[in-house]
Amino acid sequence: MDASQILSLADAAVRWRELTDLIEAARHDYYDRDQPRMADAEYDAYYRELQELEAAFPQLASQDSPTATVGGQASAVFTPVPHRQQMMSLDDVFSMDEVEQWYRRMHDAFPGEDLDFTAEVKVDGLAVNLTYDHGVLVQASTRGDGFVGEDVTANVLTIASIPTRLQGTGHPAVLNVRGEVFFMLSDFATVNREREDNDERPFVNPRNAAAGSLRQKDPAITASRPLSMVAHGVGYVEGEDLPQTQMGWYLALKEWGIPVSQHTILVRSFTEIADLIRKKGDERPTMDHEIDGIVLKINDLDKQRQLGATSRTPRWAVAYKYPPVEAFTRLLDIQVQVGRTGRVTPFAVFERVLVAGSHLQHATLHNAKEVRRKGVLIGDKIIVRKAGDVIPEVVGPVIEDRDGTEREFVMPELCPSCGARLRPAKEGDVDLRCPNAAHCPAQLTERIAHLGSRGALDIEGLGIEAAYALTQPEAGREDAVAALAEGHSVTLADGRTVRLDNPEEIPHGERFARAEELLDAPQTPVLNSEKDLFTLTAEDLSQVSVWRPVTRGGTHTGAWEKVRYFWSKSGRPSKTTELMLGQLDTAKTQELWRLMVALSIRHVGPTAARALAARFKSIDAIAQAPLEELTAVDGVGAVIAESIKEWFQVEWHRDIIEGWRGAGVVFQILNEDETPQTLEGMTVVVSGSMPGYDRESAKAAIIARGGKASGSVSKKTSVLVAGPGAGTKLAKAESLGVPVLTEQDFDRLLELGPAALPQS
């Protein structure tokens, strides 16, 4: 059923924001941290739901929607590198029907013409861009957000399969080679054996190991790991007599010494495509590297140019993704966790199982309705699956395996973190929420982690683990007690090791109580509200300890220990702690929009926060603005405006602002007079790469000067700034008579405004 027939615009906007937050968080984990926490299948489902929602409610789509952007951001560790031509993503399809639909669209675009396609295995690694100047490798970068990546030249130079100087002749003056850095499976196995021999924790899977190896601060570490690379295309090129087909480029790259896939072939008919997909699917377990699909591209480059691209994907290519890998395991329990907004989510706890290179033990079940829909009982043998190397989903139970001892999951009536009675946010909601937002430790933990994230205050060292240490330091205590009850040892913060004597002789009902008596008294959290965050000192953190499992060679021994989190064994704050406190101090004068995001006002993300900050200049002005003024701000609207008004009506929310203000946080735009409003009244569209800017910083520069940053060209557009990769937006601007500037003129436009436009 069409989403517009079952959802109101307000509900659709709420769901749009939820999906956007989930997808952006998953992208950050996958691309930036190399620590994905969401299964590919789950990500794909959320992404498709977002596409359907935007199709039903076009007014929700924006230029910074995940459907219009490529995941990944440049890290502070590496120098940012703007791409001269955007590094795009690919549209994914999951069935042969969808492959055939794409194939038919390609033929419909060129009726009566013979088409051939390259069919390539989709290597699961880290995307890179290699720049050759007259045949010499001068720079290498990661994909990043597609517009700006990270400079990893020193690391790439250590990869033996990547030539530093091209072979042969006829090289373009400038050549961008796009490819994937990965581990051959045999090399990955060798590296893990060596790590185990050295009592180091083995890598979980080849993709994450390759990404982590390439993004090392020390190139010597990269050099010690046998990475490989395979090219899958080219980007920006300057030269003459260049190949005119995709396969022609692959042959040229191979001749020049660039590694290309031996599995790439040309296909013409849908039957050939279907046969190849089936064949490679059968060969997948025996291939020399991991693949997760087959990529199809129109071979003729002129036809590729005619078809163009969307803001994030080429229309002339598609990626068929193989079904996720499945495994059997035992469902031990269904527990619940409380999120930043109070949403209580059930999750499955099952026996540890290895699936496609990852050891898995948990999977979200979303809500009680979903648990019932899947039909799983605690104690069931279940099927779990994943398409990548992350937390899986529960497919369902193996009913034939039941013996009658299984039991149903019952959603708790009280919050497991604070004991408040759970209830839906509004009548008819499937999700239950904890209403005790001010004092629920679980919600506070998530809010602290959120404000430290890159999209908010970007505090190094203030992630989810630090947030737990600050707000719930006793998390894990019950696991330590259980370990004692099972006969394992626990080492306390003062160095004492305790063990329950003869646990098998103690009645089961008494073991936990007897084990608990051996531990020291529970700690009082350092933070009971985020209002005190900016007054934290190193001394405040000196005694904070956390519970951790004891591992040896990457394997849990069964024992637990309590260790200082923020201070080192030498009796001083750790370097990470000093960095965190220093960045918290610097954050007191962070941009106003970042402070807005850090306050966890529901639905207020970076886009709305930037627009609000540019319009009202201070937090007080935003708090006092009438609803109609908030609603009128571009990128805000009724749902977000209502949420803002409701947030400022809550006393403890206002206490946070006053607490931060008292610690020196500045809730207003500083040095406003230094930014002239040169773009006031102008609507500016930026397309393609801009030297010195990524997508977000270009948008921020426009808004800071009073302009409106739009993602699409229309008759109302004042100017299009077109860099490499502008594509269809450039053609549309020319057809509508919209003034066009090159990427080199962007700074001049910011400085002069309308005076920078070409004179007719």
Side-chain angles (χ1 to χ4, degrees), residues 517-531:
E517 292 173 356
L518 297 177
L519 302 185
D520 46 15
Q523 301 169 84
T524 300
V526 172
L527 287 183
N528 292 300
S529 167
E530 55 262 63
K531 73 182 178 66

Side-chain angles (χ1 to χ4, degrees), residues 31-32 34 70-75 78-88 125-131 139-156 177-181 207 210-216 454:
Y31 291 110
D32 303 330
D34 304 321
V70 176
Q73 300 182 26
S75 166
F78 300 96
T79 304
V81 177
H83 300 308
R84 298 187 70 172
Q85 182 173 314
Q86 181 185 0
M87 292 186 72
M88 307 193 87
L126 182 72
V128 293
N129 180 63
L130 309 178
T131 299
Q139 191 174 68
S141 58
T142 62
R143 180 172 70 169
D145 67 355
F147 296 93
V148 178
E150 302 165 332
D151 191 333
V152 290
T153 308
N155 295 16
V156 163
V177 178
R178 270 72 191 272
E180 209 80 9
V181 171
R207 192 269 167 196
S213 298
L214 188 62
R215 299 173 75 197
Q216 289 287 330
R454 183 172 295 180

Side-chain angles (χ1 to χ4, degrees), residues 406-420:
E406 299 79 15
R407 56 189 175 86
E408 289 188 8
F409 165 70
V410 178
M411 193 71 177
E413 296 181 356
L414 304 179
C415 173
S417 181
C418 68

Side-chain angles (χ1 to χ4, degrees), residues 60-274:
L60 295 179
S62 66
Q63 65 180 9
D64 58 353
S65 167
T67 61
T69 60
V70 176
Q73 300 182 26
S75 166
V77 175
F78 300 96
T79 304
V81 177
H83 300 308
R84 298 187 70 172
Q85 182 173 314
Q86 181 185 0
M87 292 186 72
M88 307 193 87
S89 184
L90 291 172
D91 275 330
D92 295 328
V93 296
F94 303 88
S95 69
M96 293 309 300
D97 286 344
E98 290 176 296
V99 174
E100 187 171 13
Q101 289 171 18
W102 177 84
Y103 174 82
R104 298 299 174 199
R105 284 199 303 274
M106 298 303 99
H107 278 276
D108 289 344
F110 303 100
E113 295 189 45
D114 291 332
L115 298 179
D116 56 1
F117 307 83
T118 59
E120 314 166 23
V121 295
K122 189 170 181 290
V123 178
D124 197 13
L126 182 72
V128 293
N129 180 63
L130 309 178
T131 299
Y132 286 89
D133 190 332
H134 293 88
V136 178
L137 180 61
V138 295
Q139 191 174 68
S141 58
T142 62
R143 180 172 70 169
D145 67 355
F147 296 93
V148 178
E150 302 165 332
D151 191 333
V152 290
T153 308
N155 295 16
V156 163
L157 288 172
T158 70
I159 300 176
S161 61
I162 298 178
T164 57
R165 184 180 294 273
L166 298 180
Q167 302 171 7
T169 59
H171 316 134
V174 178
L175 172 64
N176 282 171
V177 178
R178 270 72 191 272
E180 209 80 9
V181 171
F182 65 99
F183 267 110
M184 302 291 283
L185 292 179
S186 56
D187 291 335
F188 178 72
T190 299
V191 168
N192 264 355
R193 280 196 299 270
E194 291 173 354
R195 292 180 68 84
E196 289 173 345
D197 290 342
N198 293 326
D199 290 328
E200 294 178 286
R201 186 171 184 173
F203 293 123
V204 174
N205 56 71
R207 192 269 167 196
N208 274 20
S213 298
L214 188 62
R215 299 173 75 197
Q216 289 287 330
K217 296 179 184 179
D218 183 359
I221 298 177
T222 306
S224 70
R225 297 173 184 171
L227 294 170
S228 299
M229 194 279 284
V230 62
H232 53 59
V234 297
Y236 180 83
V237 181
E238 288 181 10
E240 298 177 354
D241 300 322
L242 302 175
Q244 298 303 305
T245 64
Q246 191 79 24
M247 186 62 83
W249 267 113
Y250 292 149
L251 294 174
L253 293 175
K254 183 178 180 181
E255 183 178 333
W256 295 334
I258 300 287
V260 296
S261 176
Q262 61 179 336
H263 301 288
T264 302
I265 65 170
L266 281 176
V267 292
R268 289 183 172 272
S269 68
F270 176 71
T271 300
E272 288 180 277
I273 292 172

Side-chain angles (χ1 to χ4, degrees), residues 481 483-490 497-507 510-512 514-518:
V481 174
L484 285 173
E486 293 170 4
H488 299 291
S489 64
V490 171
T497 298
V498 296
R499 187 188 297 271
L500 193 63
D501 294 331
N502 303 317
E504 67 281 354
E505 298 178 5
I506 303 172
E510 297 179 15
R511 283 188 195 174
F512 266 63
R514 296 274 289 276
E516 174 67 42
E517 292 173 356
L518 297 177

Side-chain angles (χ1 to χ4, degrees), residues 47 120 345 370 481 508 696 706 724 745:
Y47 189 89
E120 314 166 23
T345 306
E370 181 71 1
V481 174
H508 290 285
E696 289 301 319
D745 297 318

Side-chain angles (χ1 to χ4, degrees), residues 11 13 112 153 162 213 261 286 336 387 395 418 446 634 637 671:
D11 288 339
T153 308
I162 298 178
S213 298
S261 176
T286 60
V336 296
V395 179
C418 68
E446 294 291 338
D634 183 53
N671 303 321

